[in-house]
Amino acid sequence: MASGRISLLVDSPLRDMLIAARGLPAEVRKQIGVQTKAAAEPIWFGETRDRAGTRLQQRALVNPARVGVTARNVFLRSGSVGKLASGTPVSAIAKAAEFGADPTKQITQRSRKGNRYSRRLGNAFGIPRRGGNTFHPAARDSIPRFAALWVQTAVRTALDALELKGK
């Protein structure tokens, strides 16, 4: 459904850290990514879990929440992996779970016997909300934490690697 990321287009300590990390050995750079992901996933899962107001948001946005770390970015993902108990892909309903849907919208369905009928969508997704319900507020509040975490983890991992190398 959605993905948020930290941009390095502006001059920042993150950008300086990544430029300095280019000179580190490949194994140390890999460890920085592994350590950052291990520390960031519980934070991201907690942030999304705290904002989920319904079971549908929990199943569609919180359970598939993931963090991806590359050499240049930390990616925050939600609502793109997995299926619900009904077999519906999470990605098919993630947008409606995040932003809500008009309860009076008419949708067409088929019964088990194959007959077509129309019904109203109802309030399963909640009222429409431009700023989102779960993912976007969580990303807005947690991105500064991830930036600080990334710098701290990179510095700590690099110093640990240099300390072991000196012994």
Side-chain angles (χ1 to χ4, degrees), residues 7 37 54 66 101 110 146:
S7 175
K37 183 175 180 176
T54 64
R66 303 284 185 270
R110 286 184 184 263
F146 289 127

Side-chain angles (χ1 to χ4, degrees), residues 1-90:
M1 176 199 113
S3 179
R5 65 180 180 174
I6 299 170
S7 175
L8 300 175
L9 297 176
V10 294
D11 190 28
S12 69
L14 264 176
R15 186 171 180 258
D16 298 340
M17 182 267 304
L18 290 177
I19 290 170
R22 289 179 187 165
L24 295 173
E27 184 59 36
V28 175
R29 289 192 310 261
K30 182 179 176 186
Q31 274 304 107
I32 290 171
V34 168
Q35 296 296 330
T36 302
K37 183 175 180 176
E41 274 193 331
I43 294 170
W44 179 237
F45 189 74
E47 288 285 337
T48 55
R49 184 185 60 232
D50 292 345
R51 286 169 175 76
T54 64
R55 285 178 43 196
L56 180 66
Q57 290 171 350
Q58 179 74 29
R59 303 289 190 281
L61 300 171
V62 176
N63 292 349
R66 303 284 185 270
V67 174
V69 179
T70 65
R72 295 177 149 191
N73 269 316
V74 175
F75 293 94
L76 307 175
R77 296 183 180 103
S78 182
S80 58
V81 180
K83 293 184 179 183
L84 298 177
S86 64
T88 305
V90 168

Side-chain angles (χ1 to χ4, degrees), residues 17 21 24 28 32 36 149-159:
M17 182 267 304
L24 295 173
V28 175
I32 290 171
T36 302
L149 174 78
W150 200 10
V151 171
Q152 292 168 3
T153 304
V155 169
R156 186 178 61 239
T157 305
L159 289 176

